[in-house]
Amino acid sequence: MLNKKQQRLRRARQTRVRIALQVKPRLTVYRSNLHIYAQLISDDGAKVLAAASTAEKDLREQLKGKGGNTAAAQLIGKRIAEKAKAAGVETVAFDRAGYAYHGRVKALADAAREAGLKF
């Protein structure tokens, strides 16, 4: 019997196999109760091209300690899209890391799309 975390990681592995076949940088998301993190990882998986999270000092001041809500996720989505464009990346594969496409994960993805990132 798998616990909740093991089930999520199993789903994430299956998704990453399909993403690897696309040969594009991937935008991966991790969410905790307090924060949300986004990383842009190169297509070979060897290098992080850009990262954004609500744990960053300037964002913590801006959010006033509420990094675990959809408003914070939207801010991170915009920020990662800006950093991706600065790194020269416009098209990515979205890796939701086994999380349901709902709530904070969906808010981050929608904000990244609105900021010009294609996936």
Side-chain angles (χ1 to χ4, degrees):
M1 200 74 188
L2 298 175
N3 66 23
K4 200 171 188 180
K5 183 177 180 182
Q6 290 170 332
Q7 289 173 348
R8 180 184 69 79
L9 293 175
R10 183 181 145 275
R11 286 190 304 268
R13 260 194 321 273
Q14 291 172 341
T15 304
R16 288 183 184 135
V17 167
R18 288 191 298 272
I19 287 174
L21 297 175
Q22 293 181 13
V23 191
K24 299 184 207 181
R26 66 184 164 108
L27 173 62
T28 187
V29 175
Y30 176 76
R31 64 177 173 85
S32 68
N33 288 336
L34 297 178
H35 297 288
I36 190 156
Y37 307 84
Q39 288 185 330
L40 188 64
I41 300 173
S42 65
D43 52 352
D44 61 354
K47 193 164 41 165
V48 175
L49 304 173
S53 76
T54 54
E56 294 173 0
K57 187 174 181 177
D58 56 337
L59 286 177
R60 277 192 316 230
E61 294 166 358
Q62 188 175 354
L63 295 170
K64 296 181 177 53
K66 295 187 172 120
N69 58 17
T70 55
Q74 288 174 342
L75 190 63
I76 295 302
K78 285 182 197 171
R79 193 172 178 103
I80 195 70
E82 291 167 2
K83 288 185 176 185
K85 284 189 173 185
V89 177
E90 290 191 14
T91 305
V92 297
F94 186 63
D95 179 6
R96 56 189 175 83
Y99 298 113
Y101 187 77
H102 178 74
R104 291 187 285 161
V105 175
K106 184 176 187 295
L108 187 143
D110 291 343
R113 279 191 190 106
E114 286 175 13
L117 209 53
K118 294 178 186 143
F119 54 93

